[in-house]
Amino acid sequence: MKSPKLQQLLTSLILLAFLGYGCHPKQEVLLTSPNQKLIVSAGQHEGQPFYNLIANGDTLIRNSHLGLIFQNILKQTNNYTLEAVETSTTDTLWETVWGEDQFIKEQSNNVCLSFRQTQPPHLQMKIQFRLFDDGLGFRYQIPPQEGIDSLLLVDEITEFNLTSNNQSWWTPVDYDSYEKAYQTSQLSEVDSVQTPFTMKTDKGQYLSIHEAGLVDYASMTLKRREDKTLSLECNLVPWPDGIKVKANKTMQSPWRSIQVGEKAVDLINSHLIVNLNEPNKLENTSWIKPMKYMGIWWGMHLGQQTWFTGPKHGATNKNTKELIDFAAANQFEGVLVEGWNPDWKKFGEWTYTQTYPDFDLPQLSQYGKSKKVQIIGHHETSGHVENYESQLDSALQFYSKYNVNNIKTGYVGPIKNGQYHQGQWMVNHYQKVVEKAAEHEICIIAHEPVKPTGLRRTYPNFLSREGALGQEFNAPWSAANNSPAHTTILPFTRLLAGPMDFTPGIFGLTYEKYGITDKRVNTTLAKQLALYVVIYSPVQMAADLVENYKNQPAFQFIKDVPVDWERSIALEGDPGEFISIARKDRHSSDWFLGSISNETAREVSIPLSFLEAGKKYLAVSYQDGKNADWKTNPYSIKISEKEVTSKDKLTAWLAAGGGLAIHFIAKGE
C-alpha cells in the first residue's frame, strides 16, 4: 500500500502530464527522488520530448531534447504528443554474488511516458525514468506496432545541456579502444568523450554520465555541440554502413545514467549502474569464485619471455608448474597462462583447441588441481572475431574438459570484418561469449572489451574487464607510461562503470637490470599495495615475477588482502589528486584501507569510524618510508603495527606518487 505522501506525488504526476493535453501544448511531469534531493521534469514541448535534472535546488541539466531517428520511418522528432503516464516505485534489498558490497538497496521512484507521433506512421515511443537518491536513469523503448517490421536507427537525440562550465575528467573517443590517458579541462574545451564522463559544477556538485544495461545496442559516446558550448549529445558507435542500431519490430536502449553527488566520493559510493540492470539470470552461481591469481604474463611485457614458442617461451610445462607451486604456497587460487596455443608469431587466426608441444594442458590441469590452483585460460583473437565465434563452442568445451573455469579474452587491434569494438555487432559478440561461457560454468575476464555497464549483476560470471590504461602500460614497451595521477582519476571515472583488471602488485619498479633506464613504474612500492584496495576487481593479479616477491615482507599484504567485500566506503578524495577507500572482508571481521596520491606528497587524516564500535583491531600498516618518492626513492617502505579502535583517527604521510595500505585485524577472533 502506497503512503499518502507517495500517492499524492503520483497523482500530481498524472495531473501535470495531462495539463493542456491536445495539440502540442507543453506537457510535463515531475518526479522526485526518495530523499527528495533530486527532481526530474520531463514531457514534451512543441512536440519535442525533453527532460531537466535538478539537484539540491540547482539545475544541472536544462531543457534537453530526447528522441530517436530511424532511416525507414518518419525522421522528425518534434511531432510527439504525450498519451499516457505510468508511475511505480522500487524498494528492494538484493544480495550480490560478489562485489564491493554484499547487500545493495535498490530504491527509486519511476515514471514511464508514452509518446506517439502525430503523423503517419504514428510511431509509439516510451521513455522510462528511474530516479534514485544517487542519480537518474532513463531509456527508450519502441514497442511492437502495426506496420513496423524493422528499425534502422540512424541517430539518438539524447542531449545533456549542462548549466555551468564544469571541470571535467575525460578520455577522447576511440571506437576501438578505451586505452587513453585521462585529460582534465573545462567542459568548453571538450570535443568528443568516452563515458563515464565525470564533472564538477561551479557550485561544487559532482556528476558522471554513463550508461547501464548495454545489450543489443551501440555504445554511447558524447560529443559537444558546436552551437552550444555547454551541451553534450549522444553519439552512437555505428555499423560500417553508418546505421547505429538494427532491430526487428522492437527496440530498447540501454539506460542513460547520470550519477550525482555532493562530494566526489559520493560517485564511488553510488550503486546506480548495477541497480539499473536486471537481476541475476544464472540459477546456479556456486561455481563463480572471486580469486587472486598469478600469471605467465609480465615476463613477456618485460621482454624476458615470449608468447610464441622458442628458447624464451613462457607457456611451458616447467614454468607453469613452478608458478603453480609458488601460488599454492602463498594461497593464490589461479595461474593465468598466455601464449599456450599456436601460432603467436603470426598473431592471427588461432586454433583454440591445440597447444604448443611444450605445454601439456591435461597434465598441468591435474597438477594444479593437486595443489588447489586452477589454470586460468586465455583466448586472444587479435580482432579475428568471426574466427573465434566459429570455434567458440569447441574452445569452451576444450577448457571445460580440463577444469579451466576462468578465461581471459583479448581483442587487440581492429576488428577484421570492419566492425568497431564498441558497435552493436561487437556488443552482441561480448554478450554471446559471456552467455555461452555460463553454459559451461566458465567466468570471463575481458581485455580490449566493450565498456562495463553493470551487466555483472545479470551475468555474474562476467567478472572483470580491462577497458582503460592498465599496468601493462607501465611496461618497457609502452610509449607513455601511466602518470602517478592516473590511478587517482580511475576511481572517479572508469571504475564507476565496474571492476577493472588493472593487474597491480609490481615490486620491480625499475628496469635497470634489463638494461632499461628510461622507463619505470611510476609509483612507490606502498602504492602498489594500496591499489589492491583502491582499484576494485573480484579477480586480482599479483602481476610481478616470482623473484621480486621472494624475501619481500611487503608481499604479505598481497597474500592477506581479499577480493570479495561485505562493505566498501570511499572516505575522501578528489579526482586526479588522492583517494582513500576502506573495505570490509566478506568472510571475516577484518577491514582494509588503501590511500594513494598523485605526483604531490601529502598528509591524510582518516577517522576510523568505519571500524566496528567496541572492537579492538591490530592495524598493520604498509606506508611510504620517510624519504620515499616515486621517482627518486620508490622502494622505501615502512611496515608497522598499532592497536586502534573506531574512535581513533589515523594520520599518515603519502609520498609523491605514493600510497598507504593497512590491514585492520580484528582482535579476539
Side-chain angles (χ1 to χ4, degrees):
M1 181 176 179
K2 300 183 180 70
S3 68
K5 187 174 184 179
L6 179 57
Q7 185 64 57
Q8 183 180 13
L9 167 64
L10 300 182
T11 302
S12 67
L13 281 171
I14 297 171
L15 290 174
L16 282 164
F18 286 94
L19 182 64
Y21 177 77
C23 311
H24 288 169
K26 186 175 183 180
Q27 300 167 290
E28 185 175 11
V29 304
L30 295 178
L31 184 66
T32 61
S33 62
N35 67 4
Q36 301 186 5
K37 290 186 177 182
L38 301 182
I39 300 174
V40 166
S41 67
Q44 67 81 15
H45 181 232
E46 297 181 349
Q48 177 71 59
F50 74 94
Y51 77 104
N52 296 272
L53 177 61
I54 301 167
N56 300 304
D58 293 326
T59 300
L60 301 182
I61 296 176
R62 175 180 291 141
N63 296 333
S64 298
H65 289 167
L66 302 171
L68 303 174
I69 297 179
F70 297 96
Q71 184 183 74
N72 53 336
I73 303 174
L74 182 68
K75 295 184 178 181
Q76 291 177 293
T77 61
N78 61 347
N79 63 343
Y80 283 96
T81 188
L82 181 58
E83 288 196 323
V85 177
E86 298 177 45
T87 59
S88 64
T89 60
T90 305
D91 192 354
T92 62
L93 186 70
W94 58 279
E95 185 173 7
T96 59
V97 176
W98 50 263
E100 303 95 318
D101 293 278
Q102 184 171 359
F103 294 97
I104 293 177
K105 187 172 183 61
E106 182 180 358
Q107 185 178 32
S108 64
N109 291 332
N110 320 311
V111 64
C112 178
L113 307 183
S114 294
F115 298 91
R116 188 180 295 275
Q117 289 184 328
T118 58
Q119 296 173 295
H122 302 291
L123 178 72
Q124 184 184 8
M125 176 180 69
K126 296 183 177 182
I127 306 179
Q128 294 178 298
F129 294 86
R130 297 188 65 190
L131 191 57
F132 299 76
D133 291 341
D134 54 351
L136 169 68
F138 61 90
R139 69 179 176 186
Y140 303 92
Q141 291 179 318
I142 303 296
Q145 46 205 289
E146 187 176 348
I148 298 178
D149 295 323
S150 66
L151 297 164
L152 301 176
L153 185 69
V154 294
D155 204 2
E156 179 185 316
I157 309 301
T158 298
E159 293 181 344
F160 303 89
N161 291 332
L162 297 146
T163 57
S164 67
N165 195 12
N166 301 332
Q167 186 178 6
S168 306
W169 295 268
W170 57 285
T171 58
V173 167
D174 183 330
Y175 290 165
D176 281 320
S177 176
Y178 287 97
E179 295 172 346
K180 305 289 181 182
Y182 275 92
Q183 301 181 37
T184 303
S185 72
Q186 299 306 117
L187 175 61
S188 58
E189 300 170 37
V190 165
D191 180 21
S192 295
V193 300
Q194 307 276 30
T195 68
F197 177 47
T198 299
M199 295 169 281
K200 180 182 180 181
T201 72
D202 58 5
K203 294 186 178 180
Q205 297 198 73
Y206 288 82
L207 68 157
S208 185
I209 300 172
H210 189 44
E211 59 183 320
L214 174 57
V215 176
D216 196 18
Y217 206 84
S219 296
M220 179 181 73
T221 70
L222 300 174
K223 183 176 178 61
R224 187 167 61 81
R225 290 182 54 174
E226 294 181 1
D227 60 333
K228 293 185 179 181
T229 302
L230 304 183
S231 179
L232 299 168
E233 58 186 354
C234 170
N235 181 32
L236 298 175
V237 178
W239 286 70
D241 61 7
I243 302 298
K244 303 297 179 66
V245 181
K246 302 179 181 182
N248 295 320
K249 295 186 177 181
T250 66
M251 178 181 289
Q252 179 169 276
S253 78
W255 294 95
R256 279 60 188 99
S257 63
I258 307 169
Q259 290 169 271
V260 179
E262 297 178 15
K263 299 180 294 183
V265 292
D266 292 341
L267 300 178
I268 301 173
N269 293 324
S270 164
H271 295 111
L272 180 71
I273 301 301
V274 287
N275 272 333
L276 286 170
N277 278 265
E278 295 182 14
N280 175 25
K281 288 188 176 183
L282 306 182
E283 292 184 9
N284 175 24
T285 59
S286 61
W287 49 274
I288 300 173
K289 303 290 187 184
M291 71 165 77
K292 283 180 292 188
Y293 69 101
M294 306 190 76
I296 297 175
W297 177 75
W298 189 239
M300 283 85 114
H301 289 285
L302 293 174
Q304 304 308 299
Q305 296 175 318
T306 61
W307 281 277
F308 51 85
T309 189
K312 295 199 296 183
H313 188 211
T316 66
N317 293 331
K318 178 178 180 294
N319 290 341
T320 307
K321 285 183 177 180
E322 288 178 355
L323 195 53
I324 288 173
D325 289 343
F326 186 81
N330 291 281
Q331 296 83 52
F332 288 84
E333 298 93 335
V335 166
L336 166 71
V337 182
E338 294 194 11
W340 62 273
N341 58 320
D343 186 353
W344 277 81
K345 274 193 174 181
K346 294 180 180 178
F347 206 75
E349 298 193 6
W350 286 282
T351 298
Y352 298 97
T353 54
Q354 297 178 14
T355 68
Y356 276 125
D358 54 354
F359 184 80
D360 188 334
L361 180 59
Q363 178 193 129
L364 293 169
S365 175
Q366 281 300 118
Y367 186 78
K369 187 176 181 180
S370 71
K371 301 274 187 171
K372 297 183 179 179
V373 175
Q374 61 175 287
I375 299 293
I376 297 176
H378 184 229
H379 285 165
E380 178 55 61
T381 69
S382 72
H384 293 266
V385 177
E386 290 177 317
N387 171 59
Y388 183 43
E389 285 198 0
S390 71
Q391 301 180 64
L392 185 57
D393 284 323
S394 59
L396 292 171
Q397 289 169 6
F398 178 74
Y399 266 154
S400 182
K401 179 180 179 181
Y402 297 113
N403 302 310
V404 175
N405 303 119
N406 297 270
I407 301 175
K408 175 182 174 180
T409 59
Y411 298 85
V412 173
I415 308 303
K416 298 303 184 273
N417 62 4
Q419 299 286 349
Y420 292 114
H421 280 74
Q422 317 302 332
Q424 184 187 14
W425 192 86
M426 277 300 291
V427 167
N428 289 344
H429 165 76
Y430 291 111
Q431 189 66 26
K432 179 187 298 183
V433 171
V434 77
E435 291 185 22
K436 283 280 187 182
E439 294 174 8
H440 294 272
E441 297 190 350
I442 289 175
C443 297
I444 297 297
I445 307 162
H447 280 228
E448 298 81 40
V450 67
K451 61 188 172 185
T453 59
L455 284 167
R456 55 182 169 135
R457 177 184 183 184
T458 313
Y459 297 94
N461 66 313
F462 210 152
L463 291 179
S464 194
R465 317 185 192 205
E466 190 184 34
L469 292 175
Q471 188 80 270
E472 68 184 25
F473 285 88
N474 292 322
W477 58 260
S478 176
N481 294 85
N482 293 332
S483 72
H486 177 65
T487 46
T488 66
I489 297 175
L490 285 176
F492 300 98
T493 52
R494 160 63 182 84
L495 289 168
L496 299 180
M500 180 182 176
D501 191 39
F502 182 85
T503 60
I506 299 300
F507 281 18
L509 300 168
T510 55
Y511 309 131
E512 286 90 348
K513 65 180 177 181
Y514 307 121
I516 301 168
T517 58
D518 61 339
K519 297 291 176 66
R520 47 158 301 124
V521 180
N522 298 328
T523 75
T524 66
L525 181 58
K527 184 171 181 177
Q528 285 293 314
L529 300 179
L531 291 177
Y532 282 92
V533 181
V534 171
I535 296 181
Y536 174 68
S537 178
V539 281
Q540 290 279 29
M541 188 180 193
D544 209 344
L545 306 180
V546 166
E547 65 194 63
N548 290 329
Y549 291 138
K550 289 182 176 179
N551 303 315
Q552 172 53 268
F555 186 55
Q556 185 64 44
F557 184 84
I558 300 180
K559 293 169 61 175
D560 291 341
V561 67
V563 292
D564 197 19
W565 306 100
E566 179 183 318
R567 189 179 175 208
S568 296
I569 309 170
L571 301 170
E572 60 175 359
D574 286 308
E577 297 292 328
F578 76 105
I579 177 67
S580 298
I581 296 179
R583 304 188 194 271
K584 183 182 181 299
D585 182 17
R586 191 175 293 208
H587 306 288
S588 76
S589 296
D590 290 3
W591 282 80
F592 290 77
L593 183 141
S595 186
I596 61 174
S597 183
N598 62 2
E599 293 88 345
T600 302
R602 70 186 73 235
E603 187 174 83
V604 292
S605 183
I606 303 171
L608 302 183
S609 54
F610 54 84
L611 298 175
E612 184 179 340
K615 187 182 290 287
K616 293 181 179 179
Y617 295 82
L618 179 66
V620 183
S621 299
Y622 303 76
Q623 63 188 97
D624 295 315
K626 182 178 180 180
N627 298 312
D629 182 279
W630 71 273
K631 186 181 293 186
T632 62
N633 191 16
Y635 295 106
S636 177
I637 190 169
K638 178 184 177 182
I639 303 174
S640 61
E641 297 182 356
K642 179 182 179 181
E643 186 177 281
V644 297
T645 70
S646 62
K647 295 181 180 180
D648 292 322
K649 178 179 285 189
L650 179 150
T651 300
W653 179 76
L654 305 182
L660 167 70
I662 302 179
H663 179 186
F664 296 95
I665 304 171
K667 301 191 74 172
E669 293 189 7

